[in-house]
Amino acid sequence: TIPPHTIVMKKVLELQQNPHSSFSKNQCSENETDSRLSALPEKLKQRLLPFQKEGIKFALERNGRCMLADEMGLGKTIQAIAVAYMYKAEWPLLIVVPSSLKYPWIEEIEKWIPELNPEDVNLIDNKTDIGRIQTSKVTILGYGLLTTDARMLIDALCEQHFQVVIVDESHYMKSRNAARSTILAPIVQKAARAVLLTGTPALGRPEELFMQIDALYPRKFGTWSEYSKKYCNAHVRYFGKRAQWDCKGASNLDELHLCLSKIMIRRMKDEVLTQLPPKVRQRIPFDLGKDASKEMNASIEEWEKLMRKLHSCSTETDNPFIQVMGLITHMYKQTAIAKAGAVKDYIKMMLQNEKLKFLVFAYHLSMLQACTEAVIENKVGYIRIDGSVPSSERIHLVHQFQNDPDKRVAILSIKAAGQGLTFTAATHVVFAELYWDPGHLVQAEDRAHRIGQSSSVHIHYLVAKETMDTFMWSMLNRKTCVTSNTLNGTKKSLEIEEADNEQWDFLNAAMAWVPNDNLQGSQDEMFFTHVRINTLWMQPSSCVE
């Protein structure tokens, strides 16, 4: 018996051998573009802002193949729906999205294309749910189903020959070796029209762009080897005695930006939405307690000792990189627990302003739990979205926060709720933890700072001194310079104000955090919406998606 993944990859290779060949033919003239815009559904046409119409024209002038990379909050979804509608005669349409955004996409496409009936839109729920692919006008698929064991699904998608494809949050294709990238890329290549949407095409480095570019225009930027040597500063690097290619660097960024501008359109909010109130970032540093500092210092010393061994080639481990990453992961989790008490105090301080609605982003379950405890102890209404919340529930929780004045806090996982959702009812965003690349953080910031926001948005980064936060903050600034140069053509670090240390002195005196067992089993639906305190601390995983 042939393994399922072998059959799937054979089907993928067949698609790759026959990519669509007329990428640059039959481009629309200016008059033709204006004429086609006038044919959009009236409600959709009236909602489009001038810069969004320019984005649609950009796509049409490239024969329906491009990347819409506007900054988060500028309405890429409505632009993509409009472009897809222009090619309605060539449907069926395939829309690939993060699993958490499947239902928001259904809501959007039914709102802007009212002629679609519910039976015209097919949401694929699992790897065997293929019954309606052949008969539906629109198929919506989550990235999570694109795996090598999804033989039946991949066969059905390939046989349908989708000629119009939308890939939302296309940076999910950043890894060349991931199954979803190798399966999805040839489907995009085969389609006559393909629109990739992402506010963060490269989350931290140029290597993350290659699969997206190659899906739209195969070999336009050369092979991976050619691209990496030219734009990723590819070179051999030694980890102890082990040599491997390092493609995580950056080079020739001005040239890369120029090449990208031919297939990608990117506008920033300060360029096209001058009426949008500003985003104000603050970095709020604080010291840990004595015991927590001692533990963190021991971990940092261990890390420095290991790095010295690596550079001196004295380590005996077969794969020292795994050892380094294991220690870094431990320090990241350790930082979350060490600063959780201070974060909890900070949230309680913000809750003293009874008119304030705000978001709190975290990564680890321990930190999400500490944030949840702070709100429950103050008996304040809130919602919570993490990786355990089904996609179908998330949009309802968003509506609650947006419309219910008593839901004052949204506690959110950076990975599960950091993209595609709208929280413009909030005026403040608190980052209880940092993340590994600036793209995810900016995505999360822009859940509140986007079209529909009428107030300034204040972003607060809580940074614990002499912890993993210190290293991550420096790394985030370096990555921001690289991605800004590549995507925007200018070198730019995170624009942030340093908070007044005296104002936040109370954080330095925060008690160490331990789970509040007294809250376990609390079910008072009057002040909270989605909480599983009694199960969170018992779960073996330290983080959520």
Side-chain angles (χ1 to χ4, degrees), residues 233-351:
N233 190 29
H235 61 280
V236 175
R237 185 178 178 186
Y238 286 89
F239 289 91
K241 297 179 180 179
R242 183 177 178 181
Q244 65 182 52
W245 278 94
D246 182 355
C247 300
K248 300 185 182 301
S251 50
N252 299 310
L253 297 185
D254 291 337
E255 179 184 335
L256 178 56
H257 172 70
L258 182 62
C259 294
L260 279 174
S261 65
K262 297 175 183 178
I263 64 171
M264 177 188 84
I265 185 169
R266 180 171 176 82
R267 281 78 56 90
M268 308 302 286
K269 280 181 285 203
D270 57 6
E271 299 170 355
V272 296
L273 286 184
T274 54
Q275 76 277 17
L276 187 68
K279 179 196 295 185
V280 181
R281 292 190 185 101
Q282 269 195 317
R283 177 176 176 269
I284 300 174
F286 61 92
D287 296 310
L288 294 179
K290 184 177 180 180
D291 291 340
S293 293
K294 186 177 180 180
E295 292 178 10
M296 285 303 310
N297 287 337
S299 294
I300 292 172
E301 288 175 8
E302 184 180 352
W303 178 73
E304 291 174 342
K305 181 179 179 181
L306 180 59
M307 294 305 294
R308 285 195 296 270
K309 283 185 177 180
L310 288 178
H311 290 304
S312 65
C313 302
S314 60
T315 181
E316 297 178 358
T317 182
D318 291 334
N319 193 345
F321 182 74
I322 294 177
Q323 189 176 352
V324 172
M325 292 308 298
L327 180 56
I328 289 175
T329 301
H330 167 72
M331 292 169 63
Y332 186 30
K333 180 181 178 182
Q334 187 181 28
T335 296
I337 295 173
K339 65 190 281 195
V343 170
K344 193 172 174 180
D345 287 353
Y346 189 84
I347 292 173
K348 289 183 175 182
M349 179 274 298
M350 294 193 69
L351 290 173

Side-chain angles (χ1 to χ4, degrees), residues 499-513:
D500 179 4
N501 287 341
E502 292 184 5
Q503 184 180 358
W504 310 113
D505 274 349
F506 72 94
L507 295 177
N508 300 331
M511 299 292 290
W513 173 76

